[in-house]
Amino acid sequence: MWNNAKNKILWCAVIGFAAIYAGSSSAPAKNRPLLGAVTTGQECPDNDSDLKLPAGFCATVFVQGIGHARQMVVAPSGVLYVNTWSGRYYGNDTPHAGGFLVALQDKSGAGKADVIQRFGETVQSGGAGGTGIAIYKGSIYAEINDRIVKYLLPAGAIVPSGSSETIVSGLPLSGDHPMHPFIISPEGMMYVDVATPTNSCQLKNRTLKSPGAEPCTELETRGGIWLYDANKTDQTFSPAERFATGIRNAEGLAIDSSGRMFVTQHGRDQLRANWPDLYKPDQEATLPAEELLLLKKNGDYGWPECYYDAFREKLVLAPEYGGDGGKTAGVCANKIAPIAAFPAHWAPNAMVLYDKKQFPAHYRGGVFIAFHGSWDRAPYAQAGYNVVFQQLAGDRALGQCEIFADGFAGAVESPAKAEHRPSGLAVGPDGSLYVSDDVRGRIYRIVYRGGEGGAANVKACPSLTAPAGNPVDVAAQPPEGTHPDAGAAANALPVPKGATREMVALGNRIYHGQVGGAACTGCHGDNGEGTTLAPALTGKNKRWLWSDGSYAGIAKTITDGVPQPKVFRSPMPPMGGAQLTPDQVSALAAYIWSLNH
């Protein structure tokens, strides 16, 4: 049984079973139940995290409020270094004062950061922060804007005193995925994720029935892993340094003791939204799977032509390249399949290999993966927002993943309402696991206090083939509800000139994905409050970027879409990628007009 850690009651775990995933030539096995024995946990003192963890584990808030915290690394001294990010990915909100890089130290041993020092580029110096960070030969390596730079750490100091040196510059920043996580091997080889600017290399990104580019020229400079030498300065990004291709967005990277490289992949979005003739509504939420890849030199992992279908347990041809809803493999039969797969749209933002001895032996040699949480499952329930553990056996995944830490999002798992979203991971020299949150800049520290013994009664990840469930915004009652004042809020919405109250009600249903297939909530939030993907349509954060906010202006924006956003990172296809009738466009515009009036 699981209990909230805030109540200081720990729950139990189960030792993983062995269902070995095959290597690159075969697909992950379907999820199977875990078996094992139950052990008794202990209470956790000073637990203020609200996280749910296996028995014997305790979590505390190490620090909070440091900015949009992304990836992390811990020095041998125990100092935790964090890279924070800003810019259009976060709606261009006001960055934290000071440098985007943060050094955190617990000098008192109380499990809290009592030393917080910022360094590196600032807004005033033209910085926008970054994601990737690493330590190599006593120096801090960090992504900032289009560069990866190195800071020398003076002896006895936790922050550098001098300026940075550029290791590589000219990294691409355009499009949907401008981040560059990286990892440095013990030999100094720096593997850099250069993710794709589009969802699936369509001629018109994220647009209804737009075919894929032939050839996909993005792959010349995007969609793979690049390799550089961490010992050299002033390297320049170019196609020549590509190490592997066909990877849409590999934010999690890990190297094991044998030198094997593992990376995660964010699966593509909007299969149903862009290809409604080929996919059922609930397949927007269940396809495709997220992936764990074994990285090989010159390996091709299939993007944009392929995606991983967990129901068929193989890579299948994408609709942009002649796919038929998953029946045909085509060229994907010759691409490298993942060694493990995870539920659709969970968004793996970081991965770390566990090689310490504090945690039970069950966890040693496996990887923890931070899932940022979904947006593309609307109108079905969003999911992810957790940290999972995946056992490894050499170059294979062992069994299904386990939910290791949950409860980050709070009451509502959605991009707009999640209190916290896991984004970065790091393991300290003492074996503690750190998890970063990029919503409110919180860092969690997870330790094991359960004594000897293995992990028991762990919670298995959901089945990859589990149904999406019911749309969360479809009520099993009349739209006006059944309570005494149910109609008050709906009737209070104003109606634009030229529309009717019935149109506003229909627009409400279209907005929430109940009619027409355009689930606007995934980007604009459940109630139009906005997310990191798209602007607010109501409230104090509202500002009209593509019209004057008039009824007619809103309708035109819906019809035309927003192919090149001025502020936010994701384009909006015409009619949200759906096939709305003119009447439905008018109704949706009426509802959005009503929201902000």
Side-chain angles (χ1 to χ4, degrees), residues 17 21 29 31-32 34 340-343 346 362 367 369 371 386-391 397-404 458-464:
F17 70 109
Y21 288 121
N31 294 37
R32 300 178 177 88
L34 293 177
F342 310 96
W346 276 24
H362 172 77
V367 289
I369 303 173
F371 285 99
N386 55 30
V387 174
V388 312
F389 175 73
Q390 176 65 63
Q391 283 188 312
L398 182 64
Q400 71 186 102
C401 67
E402 308 158 5
I403 305 295
F404 177 75
V458 295
K459 182 178 179 180
C461 291
S463 168
L464 300 180

Side-chain angles (χ1 to χ4, degrees), residues 322-367:
D324 51 8
K327 302 180 188 68
T328 300
V331 298
C332 305
N334 299 318
K335 307 296 184 181
I336 303 176
I339 64 168
F342 310 96
H345 308 304
W346 276 24
N349 263 23
M351 177 169 61
V352 67
L353 184 88
Y354 193 83
D355 58 358
K356 304 300 181 184
K357 295 183 178 180
Q358 182 190 129
F359 289 9
H362 172 77
Y363 297 98
R364 294 170 201 162
V367 289

Side-chain angles (χ1 to χ4, degrees), residues 24 117 296 477 540 556 558 582:
S24 63
Q117 296 189 41
K296 297 184 177 182
Q477 58 182 6
K540 63 182 181 180
K556 185 177 188 304
I558 294 170

Side-chain angles (χ1 to χ4, degrees), residues 120-154:
E121 295 271 8
T122 65
V123 174
Q124 290 73 27
S125 67
T131 57
I133 191 167
I135 292 177
Y136 177 65
K137 290 185 175 179
S139 293
I140 303 297
Y141 289 68
E143 174 198 7
I144 177 72
N145 298 354
D146 68 339
R147 310 184 307 281
I148 294 174
V149 301
K150 178 177 77 171
Y151 292 91
L152 294 174
L153 284 177

Side-chain angles (χ1 to χ4, degrees), residues 446-513:
I446 300 174
V447 300
Y448 183 68
R449 301 186 185 278
E452 297 297 325
N457 213 24
V458 295
K459 182 178 179 180
C461 291
S463 168
L464 300 180
T465 58
N470 295 320
V472 296
D473 294 303
V474 175
Q477 58 182 6
E480 67 274 9
T482 57
H483 51 287
D485 59 348
N491 290 332
L493 283 175
V495 177
K497 186 177 180 180
T500 65
R501 190 164 301 284
E502 288 74 21
M503 290 174 65
V504 173
L506 173 60
N508 186 347
R509 298 181 67 206
I510 295 169
Y511 181 89
H512 290 94

